[in-house]
Amino acid sequence: MQIFHHIESVRNAIAQARADGKKVGFVPTMGNLHAAHLELVETAQKHCDFVVCSIFVNRLQFGLNEDWDKYPRTFEQDAEKLRAVNCDMLFFPDEQEIYPNGMDEQTRVIVPTMANVLCGASRPGHFEGVTTVVTKLFNIVQPDVAVFGIKDYQQLAIIRRMVADLCMPVHIIAGEIVRESDGLAMSSRNGFITEQERPQANQLNKSLNWVKNEILAGSREYPQLEAEARQQIENAGFKPDYLSICQSATLEPAAHDDTELTVLGAMYTQGARLIDNVSLALKPMNEVN
Ligand code: PAF
């Protein structure tokens, strides 16, 4: 696996791969890689001949009181894991390489419709930081295909929208959520869950599935279902941030006749903020008999 720290070396090596007729896939990450990231790399490999992974803990997407400084940096282990799955290139830039003019005056990319709800409501500026860095990374790597995990459902939806709105020639592929055996979605932040909390930390997933099953069983009392699910999370000892039944494509609150739904949630443990989601498809009203 080639490892580069500079944009110019990445561009030269990718130009060579393209000259060899290779299709380029890209998996942007913030490192601390686990099985779900490696699945994203494997998904990219199914669609491409040359896969680039990036590791960059992007300060621009962290709020002032968030965990940028304590976000785990595990470069050696990450590189080893990527070698083991035959990733072709690792791009590991420092902040100076990505933000040579500092972050305050950095040109921003904003997706106005979806960036200020759900996670965006509790993390102002977060998605602006994500779309800005992803645009820069796309411009550096110029991939044919980029893979993002469904666990970050809102991020995926926003990136799809950005790519469409800005006519970016990148095909976005969604990577499935990888879960621990009790349903907890894999995340770099799971390392912050305390030992005492860990047995109940799958409550977010349990409550999302409870909502999904209630809807599949015919309930359309969405505000009540959301309130009940939040209560379940509180009863398990956690602080719910939000739990919302949304239209899958727009992330607007779901109406009774919407058929493609995603239930998204976030909750605080003592040391971490965890997110998860489940999607479901209902038959259109006029097909129900
Ligand atoms: O999902 C992540 O790890 C980050 O938000 C991303 C897409 C790498 C941008 O920094």
Side-chain angles (χ1 to χ4, degrees), residues 28-31 37 54 56-58 61 71 126 129-130 133-134 137 148 152 155 159:
T29 80
M30 298 204 298
H37 293 111
S54 65
F56 179 63
V57 188
N58 175 37
Q61 71 188 71
Y71 199 86
H126 168 66
V130 171
V133 81
V134 169
L137 292 167
F148 292 85
D152 296 281
Q155 169 171 284
I159 285 169

Side-chain angles (χ1 to χ4, degrees), residues 5 21 32 38 84 114 125 129-130 133 163 202 227 231 239 246 254 260 272:
H5 303 277
N32 194 231
L38 302 178
M114 286 182 270
V130 171
V133 81
V163 164
N202 62 350
Q231 190 59 54
K239 183 169 166 273
C246 297
E260 302 287 327

